[in-house]
């Protein structure tokens, strides 16, 4: 009854959801799904109590691995859209975004077409501490006011095909453009206010998700290869992790910048040292049948992680290392022998980790 991975609630609207997106503080999850008639729905769920909003109509797309919505950085508001990858039936009007209140689940204003019906939206992200929205279509990247959705400033002729990421508190953002062969992604750091590209480079993966460190010094990228790549904003230097062996759909930094958490297509949620990209551990929420993806987000200013599985189960992962060691020692009932230590931890000198046993 006191495990390090604990289910807190479950959503039962679908066997498998199209999307599960946790709020920046890990306190709410937005679930999107298609019913038997192909109609898209969304509801918001409190990750601790299970309290949930009534379902609201909103287009959804099955199996889309990249972000199709954006949480306000302080929560409470969610902008949903359907990208150009929709099937032409369940998309709604091209270029339309819907702003939802996460407390009620209702639209806070009428759905709005941001491109006059001429194009599809590729990416949406809150910037400037939530005062503005960065929006991208097939030819440009532009900014609208967060409250009114009115255009602000001039567009930038830069294509953004995935997961724009705000850097710091101002108008600096990293955007991504996929290669035509699906093997790499060109990233650019933009100063939106000045309309300038500050730096750019290429990552050898098809990026599905990205996250900026709290101090704005680094952006982490992940996608098809299962690796985490971090980009130093000042120098453009990249660091690469080992591969998880599954596509990564979600990334989040802890508030202190010490840890990264990733959510993968096989349901695995992994904890990383944010500086070294050493893999600290992976958990797989219980699942009957085929694996489904899991979203992950740190809860507030803690190192605990909220996990939203696409089967509707929500978990809390206590990532404290000492507690995990104590749990392992209780399971084993003894200390490691010197032979076992040499086999599994050859780079470290032998020591007792379970002295109470």
């Amino acid at each position: 009854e006191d495990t390090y991975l604990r289910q807190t609630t479950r959503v039962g609207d679908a066997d498998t959801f199209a999307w599960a997106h946790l709020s920046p503080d890990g306190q709410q999850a937005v679930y999107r799904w298609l019913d038997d008639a192909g109609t898209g729905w969304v509801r918001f769920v409190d990750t601790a109590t299970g309290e949930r909003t009534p379902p609201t109509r909103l287009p959804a797309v099955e199996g889309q691995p990249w972000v199709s919505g954006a949480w306000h950085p302080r929560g409470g508001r969610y902008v949903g859209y359907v990208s150009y990858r929709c099937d032409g039936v369940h998309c709604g009007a091209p270029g339309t975004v819907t702003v939802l209140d996460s407390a009620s689940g209702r639209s806070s204003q009428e759905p709005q077409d941001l491109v006059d019906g001429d194009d599809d939206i590729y990416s949406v992200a809150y910037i400037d501490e939530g005062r503005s929205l960065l929006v991208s279509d097939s030819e440009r990247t532009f900014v609208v006011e967060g409250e009114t959705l009115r255009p602000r400033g001039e567009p930038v002729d830069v294509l953004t095909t995935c997961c724009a990421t705000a850097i710091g508190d101002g108008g600096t953002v990293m955007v991504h453009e996929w290669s035509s062969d699906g093997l790499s992604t060109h990233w650019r750091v933009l100063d939106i206010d000045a309309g300038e590209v500050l730096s750019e480079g290429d990552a050898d993966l098809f990026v599905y998700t990205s996250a900026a460190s709290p101090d704005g010094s680094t952006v982490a990228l992940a996608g098809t290869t299962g690796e985490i790549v971090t980009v130093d904003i000042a120098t453009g230097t990249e660091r690469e992790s080992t591969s998880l062996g599954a596509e990564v759909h979600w990334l989040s930094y802890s508030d202190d910048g010490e840890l990264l958490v990733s959510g993968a297509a096989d349901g695995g949620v992994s904890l990383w040292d944010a500086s070294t990209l050493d893999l600290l551990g992976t958990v797989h929420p219980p699942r009957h049948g085929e694996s489904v993806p899991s979203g992950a987000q740190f809860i507030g200013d803690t190192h605990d992680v909220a996990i939203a599985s696409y089967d509707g189960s929500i978990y809390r992962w206590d990532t404290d290392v000492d507690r995990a060691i104590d749990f392992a020692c209780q399971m084993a009932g003894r200390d490691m022998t010197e032979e076992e230590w040499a086999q599994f931890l050859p780079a470290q000198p032998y020591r007792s980790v379970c002295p109470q046993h």
Side-chain angles (χ1 to χ4, degrees):
E1 296 179 0
D2 184 27
T3 62
Y4 64 90
L5 183 64
R6 178 171 53 90
Q7 182 174 321
T8 57
T9 190
R10 178 171 173 77
V11 189
D13 294 286
D15 292 333
T16 303
F17 288 84
W19 202 246
H21 193 174
L22 286 153
S23 62
D25 61 4
Q27 301 292 339
Q28 282 189 295
V30 55
Y31 273 93
R32 293 171 73 169
W33 73 97
L34 291 168
D35 64 19
D36 293 339
T39 303
W41 298 90
V42 61
R43 75 156 79 235
F44 296 87
V45 183
D46 186 295
T47 59
T49 68
E51 183 178 352
R52 61 203 66 189
T53 64
T56 300
R57 289 281 299 272
L58 188 70
V61 177
E62 204 76 64
Q64 179 175 289
W66 48 89
V67 174
S68 59
W71 278 97
H72 191 278
R74 292 189 297 277
R77 189 187 309 162
Y78 185 80
V79 176
Y81 70 100
V82 177
S83 76
Y84 71 106
R85 293 275 177 168
C86 61
D87 60 12
V89 177
H90 310 299
C91 300
T96 300
V97 300
T98 303
V99 182
L100 298 169
D101 173 69
S102 67
S104 66
R106 301 188 185 96
S107 299
S108 59
Q109 55 187 277
E110 286 296 314
Q112 190 159 333
D113 179 1
L114 300 184
V115 293
D116 297 325
D118 294 332
D119 210 339
D120 294 296
I121 291 177
Y122 282 30
S123 177
V124 169
Y126 276 103
I127 61 171
D128 193 23
E129 296 186 300
R131 289 185 288 269
S132 304
L133 270 173
L134 185 81
V135 184
S136 176
D137 60 23
S138 64
E139 296 180 351
R140 60 191 181 138
T141 297
F142 57 99
V143 177
V144 298
E145 295 176 357
E147 293 289 340
T148 66
L149 301 183
R150 288 196 297 260
R152 197 203 83 189
E154 295 297 320
V156 181
D157 293 329
V158 169
L159 176 62
T160 303
T161 50
C162 166
C163 48
T165 303
I167 301 172
D169 298 331
T172 305
V173 61
M174 179 181 281
V175 299
H176 305 91
E177 180 180 354
W178 292 327
S179 65
S180 58
D181 60 10
L183 299 178
S184 63
T185 302
H186 188 73
W187 57 263
R188 298 178 178 92
V189 176
L190 304 179
D191 182 330
I192 292 298
D193 294 326
E196 296 179 355
V197 177
L198 303 179
S199 60
E200 55 190 312
D202 293 287
D204 292 330
L205 73 160
F206 207 56
V207 172
Y208 286 159
T209 181
S210 59
S213 62
D215 64 2
S217 66
T218 307
V219 174
L221 318 173
T224 51
T225 64
E227 298 162 334
I228 313 297
V229 175
T230 56
V231 179
D232 185 291
I233 297 301
T235 65
T237 303
E238 294 185 6
R239 182 188 292 271
E240 185 177 299
S241 76
T242 57
S243 175
L244 291 169
E247 293 181 348
V248 176
H249 294 179
W250 297 102
L251 285 173
S252 168
Y253 275 93
S254 60
D255 273 6
D256 58 14
E258 294 180 358
L259 300 175
L260 261 172
V261 67
S262 62
D266 65 354
V269 176
S270 300
L271 195 69
W272 306 83
D273 183 301
S275 298
T276 64
L277 291 186
D278 289 335
L279 179 61
L280 304 178
T282 298
V283 296
H284 284 81
R287 170 69 180 162
H288 298 292
E290 295 182 6
S291 61
V292 294
S294 289
Q297 181 74 39
F298 286 102
I299 301 173
D301 60 0
T302 73
H303 282 177
D304 285 359
V305 173
I307 299 173
S309 172
Y310 283 31
D311 70 356
S313 300
I314 298 177
Y315 301 86
R316 183 176 181 126
W317 178 17
D318 181 343
T319 67
D320 180 74
V321 173
D322 291 335
R323 187 161 184 261
I325 291 175
D326 183 61
F327 187 80
C329 289
Q330 291 181 45
M331 291 177 65
R334 63 175 178 82
D335 217 333
M336 293 179 72
T337 66
E338 292 191 24
E339 291 77 14
E340 290 169 333
W341 189 281
Q343 179 181 355
F344 297 109
L345 300 168
Q348 301 181 42
Y350 179 80
R351 63 185 176 88
S352 173
V353 293
C354 302
Q356 69 274 28
H357 296 285

